[in-house]
């Protein structure tokens, strides 16, 4: 797959087929992705892959948590700024409304929206997941390294005919995930990622989020 095709075809998949994913393929993807840029060559990412019985156990635990109505755990970082302004707030609202429109869930049906959101914690049915963490001594520049690594992973997955969904929602369960993957106390969880083959027939997978016009964010100087 050409790099342009991988970039254009990558988007968040929220309904996966149960088709197994070859662990050796994922090992190769994660290893090659380590060529992603990293300031000072720190390579601050730590990756835990979860599949098989381990993933089934985590799914069962999350189903139990949700059915019992347990409150989310204190997040260790803010997923979004507390006072998100326009245009960023508008973009977030618009993609959410576009997704629920595809699912046929109206805005006033809060219960149905909560049920759909719970699919995040089932990895949208994906047969494999990963979690990305970082040493607590690292700062914002190293967190940006994680983003470059994870984007490289997602593009390489597309090259293998696989799909993904990066999931920061796991940041609201740092204790649960920390126990599940035996995260040492000096490391902080950034996010999870669902990995697998998209369900081509599910309407949610037809959602491709808009991107702002280039005129809103690009400037050339001296050209």
């Amino acid at each position: 797959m050409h790099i342009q095709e991988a970039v254009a075809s990558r988007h968040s998949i929220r309904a996966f087929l149960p088709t197994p994913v070859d662990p050796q393929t994922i090992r190769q993807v994660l290893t090659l992705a380590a060529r992603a840029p990293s300031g000072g060559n720190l390579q601050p990412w730590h990756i835990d892959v979860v599949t098989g019985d381990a993933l089934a156990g985590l799914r069962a635990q999350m189903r139990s948590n949700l059915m019992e109505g347990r409150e989310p755990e204190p997040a260790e970082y803010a997923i979004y700024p507390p006072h998100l302004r326009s245009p960023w707030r508008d973009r977030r609202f618009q993609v959410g409304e576009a997704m629920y429109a595809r699912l046929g869930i109206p805005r006033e049906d809060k219960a149905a929206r909560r049920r759909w959101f719970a699919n995040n914690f089932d990895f949208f049915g994906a047969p494999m997941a990963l979690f990305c963490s970082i040493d607590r001594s690292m700062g914002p520049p190293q967190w940006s390294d994680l983003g470059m690594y994870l984007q490289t992973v997602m593009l390489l997955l597309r090259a293998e005919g696989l799909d993904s969904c990066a999931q920061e929602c796991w940041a609201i369960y740092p204790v649960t995930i920390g126990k599940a993957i035996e995260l040492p106390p000096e490391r902080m969880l950034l996010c999870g990622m669902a990995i697998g083959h998209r369900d081509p027939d599910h309407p949610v997978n037809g959602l491709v989020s808009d991107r702002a016009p280039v005129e809103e964010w690009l400037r050339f100087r001296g050209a």
Side-chain angles (χ1 to χ4, degrees), residues 48-103:
D48 285 271
V49 177
V50 185
T51 190
D53 291 343
L55 185 59
L58 180 55
R59 279 193 164 112
Q61 182 175 2
M62 290 307 303
R63 281 196 298 271
S64 176
N65 288 353
L66 296 173
M67 288 178 63
E68 293 174 9
R70 296 181 190 174
E71 291 294 320
E73 298 151 4
E76 297 190 290
Y77 71 92
I79 298 175
Y80 299 103
H83 303 292
L84 195 62
R85 308 191 312 271
S86 180
W88 308 290
R89 179 189 60 211
D90 302 333
R91 293 171 187 165
R92 185 183 177 208
F93 175 81
Q94 288 163 4
V95 73
E97 290 304 295
M99 180 184 70
Y100 285 116
R102 281 191 160 271
L103 293 166

Side-chain angles (χ1 to χ4, degrees), residues 18-42:
T19 308
V21 174
D22 178 19
Q24 186 58 33
T25 298
I26 300 305
R27 178 180 290 274
Q28 292 169 356
V29 163
L30 298 176
T31 301
L32 182 55
R35 299 304 310 170
S38 174
N41 200 31
L42 297 189

